[in-house]
Amino acid sequence: MPPASADALLRSRIFDGLTDLERERWLGESEQVVLKRGQPLARQGEPARRFYLVECGFLKLTQVTADGDEVIVRFVGPGEPFGGVVALKQADYPVTALAVVHQTQVRAWPYERLAALLDAFPQVRLNIMREMTAHMTDALTRVRELTTERVGQRLAHTLLRLARQCGEPTKEGVLIAHPLTRQELAEMTGTTLYTVSRTLRRWETAGVLRSEGRRLIVRSTTRLTDLAGDEED
Amino acid sequence: MPPASADALLRSRIFDGLTDLERERWLGESEQVVLKRGQPLARQGEPARRFYLVECGFLKLTQVTADGDEVIVRFVGPGEPFGGVVALKQADYPVTALAVVHQTQVRAWPYERLAALLDAFPQVRLNIMREMTAHMTDALTRVRELTTERVGQRLAHTLLRLARQCGEPTKEGVLIAHPLTRQELAEMTGTTLYTVSRTLRRWETAGVLRSEGRRLIVRSTTRLTDLAGDEED
DNA sequence: GATCGTCTTTGCGCCAGCGCAAGCCCTGGC
DNA sequence: GCCAGGGCTTGCGCTGGCGCAAAGACGATC
């Protein structure tokens, strides 16, 4: 077991309130899954049979409409759960989960095994619920941003959220830990890839951030926060 | 106890899987609250101490930002719960709940009494969770609509949702059971009251719906569904 | 290291929807 | 029955952001 990645699992907030030994017990009952870039872990509408925890890499959760429009719900990184809906009842996955980096590793618990573990550790069920309500609040925040803010502010908020969720501090600033296309940022912000490109460029020349290929580095979180709040951009 | 309104409580989906006697037992342990139009039941950020079920009337749930922007989360009608977050853990209400019709009646269960009841009837906890995940899906649907649809389509979808959730069949069509201002529809749809006014007017002259004061009647659900799907309006 | 496909940038024209302003219509209070 | 205030409608001008098109940059693959 590679120690670095198992570490993220052991520290997962899903296991809050459990001893190290109890956490090991959970991991002992999990199955390991490795995904290639672009490979689906679960598809929207499928019956939810497994609960997952990301070990390393990233998943992209999307919702697709009947007529093909896609929306990015969020990204799931190391230590974060996917498929919490399984803990409730036999239901369907509400979103599709795709690996966005090569060699994404996840742990899986089949429904029956999870049910037994949750009965033994009821605290974990509460933790899963807590996570789900946090995502609920998140979704409402996005609705609010979409209805009250301009594109620039929304993009700034999106970047700040990404930096908070999966940012790695570097000398130059906060690096967003997974590759992101303009198209993906557009889907997360509710705009087009053209507008994202233009806006990022403006911010890059202003020195707020740096875009190098598909890597983004936020150089000044405070200035980005200003952009997220201000009426102007 | 007025039979008509208690009926909505007894039939509430929150009590799915319980016998009539068990439902009566729950109601027996509730407190009754009566609200005037505009009176708050709970405020965003307050510690969540009580779980509620609407008996008659309607609540409007809103989220307000630091700088005063308001978003309507949803309306809560007879038989529907509010404050499900209490069932999880001692947490804060994520939204503000206001009565939108005069003499709105709700039943309240204080935290301790609810906890005891949920331990006795674990099925109800699952039902509350089910309700919460449904709202989660709802929020994601709104995000998708806001990012991929034009104003006309979003407004049509909003009206269809309202009709489904709290519509009363009449000779002429489906009546939306609570008063709605143009401003409120605008907040739910992510547009301005002007655009709502213009769009509704166009649809009214086309015979799709009728707007009489603050009452809305959807005369043709199928034509409204077309408008929700089509690229044109 | 050449090729191909994917992603990005940017010029340009266009229009959906915004928001002010002004006047109208209800509705509820006295 | 009258008045006041909140909500509704609609004309009008303006602009933020869309989206096509074309050219460039990058990065995987053999």
Side-chain angles (χ1 to χ4, degrees):
Chain A
M1 191 186 293
S5 57
D7 203 47
L9 291 175
L10 287 171
R11 290 165 187 268
S12 172
R13 297 179 49 200
I14 284 300
F15 297 140
D16 274 2
L18 264 57
T19 66
D20 285 356
L21 212 67
E22 288 167 340
R23 292 167 193 232
E24 299 277 7
R25 158 99 190 274
W26 274 78
L27 293 191
E29 300 214 24
S30 70
E31 295 164 12
Q32 194 164 31
V33 182
V34 181
L35 300 163
K36 282 183 283 208
R37 178 175 155 78
Q39 193 180 342
L41 180 66
R43 278 181 203 284
Q44 177 178 346
E46 268 179 3
R49 300 201 195 289
R50 293 160 144 238
F51 173 73
Y52 299 98
L53 219 49
V54 173
E55 188 165 348
C56 65
F58 282 91
L59 299 176
K60 177 169 82 168
L61 307 192
T62 58
Q63 212 187 40
V64 200
T65 63
D67 49 322
D69 286 321
E70 183 187 274
V71 189
I72 296 183
V73 178
R74 68 196 154 92
F75 288 85
V76 187
E80 295 180 327
F82 165 71
V85 73
V86 184
L88 296 181
K89 209 178 176 173
Q90 209 76 311
D92 294 346
Y93 290 117
V95 295
T96 292
L98 248 58
V100 285
V101 300
H102 201 60
Q103 291 286 85
T104 292
Q105 294 180 34
V106 301
R107 296 299 183 110
W109 287 265
Y111 176 70
E112 300 79 14
R113 220 179 291 171
L114 179 76
L117 281 166
L118 285 177
D119 285 343
F121 304 97
Q123 176 65 36
V124 177
R125 178 177 271 124
L126 272 186
N127 292 342
I128 293 176
M129 294 296 124
R130 176 168 22 87
E131 208 73 8
M132 289 176 71
T133 54
H135 293 143
M136 177 80 198
T137 310
D138 237 58
L140 285 180
T141 302
R142 280 178 73 185
V143 169
R144 182 171 47 66
E145 287 176 8
L146 283 164
T147 53
T148 64
E149 293 178 357
R150 317 239 112 176
V151 168
Q153 303 177 67
R154 301 201 306 257
L155 183 53
H157 271 130
T158 303
L159 293 178
L160 287 169
R161 242 194 314 272
L162 284 169
R164 210 178 319 122
Q165 199 214 336
C166 63
E168 288 170 5
T170 69
K171 278 170 284 192
E172 202 182 343
V174 185
L175 169 74
I176 290 168
H178 53 82
L180 268 175
T181 65
R182 300 288 180 264
Q183 174 65 32
E184 285 171 334
L185 276 172
E187 283 174 30
M188 299 181 74
T189 315
T191 178
T192 61
L193 71 102
Y194 310 108
T195 302
V196 169
S197 178
R198 285 187 256 260
T199 309
L200 288 186
R201 190 112 262 273
R202 203 166 57 243
W203 291 348
E204 185 164 11
T205 55
V208 180
L209 49 81
R210 203 156 64 80
S211 162
E212 189 178 281
R214 250 159 272 172
R215 307 245 148 213
L216 261 182
I217 300 175
V218 179
R219 302 179 69 178
S220 167
T221 318
T222 55
R223 288 184 60 193
L224 196 56
T225 310
D226 284 352
L227 291 167
D230 263 348
E231 278 305 300
E232 355 272 318
D233 54 283
Chain B
M1 193 187 291
S5 57
D7 203 48
L9 291 175
L10 287 172
R11 290 165 186 269
S12 173
R13 299 180 45 200
I14 284 301
F15 298 139
D16 274 2
L18 266 56
T19 66
D20 285 356
L21 212 66
E22 288 168 339
R23 292 166 193 234
E24 299 276 7
R25 159 98 189 274
W26 273 78
L27 294 191
E29 301 214 23
S30 70
E31 296 164 10
Q32 195 164 31
V33 182
V34 181
L35 300 163
K36 282 183 284 208
R37 179 174 154 79
Q39 194 180 342
L41 181 66
R43 278 182 202 283
Q44 178 178 345
E46 267 178 4
R49 300 200 196 291
R50 293 159 146 238
F51 172 73
Y52 300 97
L53 219 48
V54 173
E55 187 165 348
C56 66
F58 281 91
L59 298 175
K60 177 168 81 169
L61 307 191
T62 58
Q63 211 187 42
V64 200
T65 63
D67 49 323
D69 286 322
E70 183 188 275
V71 188
I72 296 180
V73 178
R74 67 194 154 93
F75 288 85
V76 186
E80 295 181 326
F82 165 71
V85 73
V86 184
L88 295 182
K89 210 179 173 171
Q90 208 76 310
D92 294 345
Y93 289 118
V95 295
T96 293
L98 249 58
V100 284
V101 300
H102 201 61
Q103 291 286 82
T104 291
Q105 294 179 33
V106 301
R107 296 299 184 109
W109 287 265
Y111 175 68
E112 300 79 12
R113 220 179 291 172
L114 178 76
L117 281 166
L118 286 177
D119 285 343
F121 304 97
Q123 175 64 38
V124 178
R125 177 177 271 123
L126 272 188
N127 292 342
I128 293 177
M129 295 297 126
R130 170 158 38 80
E131 208 73 9
M132 288 177 72
T133 56
H135 293 142
M136 177 82 196
T137 310
D138 236 59
L140 285 181
T141 303
R142 280 179 72 185
V143 170
R144 182 172 46 66
E145 288 177 5
L146 284 165
T147 54
T148 63
E149 294 176 356
R150 316 240 113 175
V151 168
Q153 302 177 68
R154 301 203 304 260
L155 184 54
H157 271 130
T158 303
L159 293 178
L160 286 170
R161 245 195 309 275
L162 284 168
R164 210 177 320 121
Q165 198 213 336
C166 62
E168 288 170 6
T170 68
K171 277 170 285 191
E172 202 180 343
V174 185
L175 169 74
I176 291 169
H178 53 80
L180 268 176
T181 65
R182 299 289 181 263
Q183 175 63 32
E184 284 171 334
L185 276 173
E187 284 174 31
M188 299 180 75
T189 316
T191 180
T192 61
L193 73 102
Y194 309 107
T195 303
V196 170
S197 177
R198 285 186 257 260
T199 310
L200 288 186
R201 188 113 262 271
R202 202 166 58 243
W203 290 348
E204 185 164 10
T205 55
V208 180
L209 49 81
R210 204 156 63 81
S211 162
E212 189 178 282
R214 250 158 272 174
R215 307 246 149 213
L216 262 182
I217 300 175
V218 178
R219 302 179 68 177
S220 166
T221 317
T222 55
R223 288 184 59 192
L224 196 56
T225 309
D226 284 352
L227 290 167
D230 263 348
E231 278 303 301
E232 355 272 316
D233 54 282

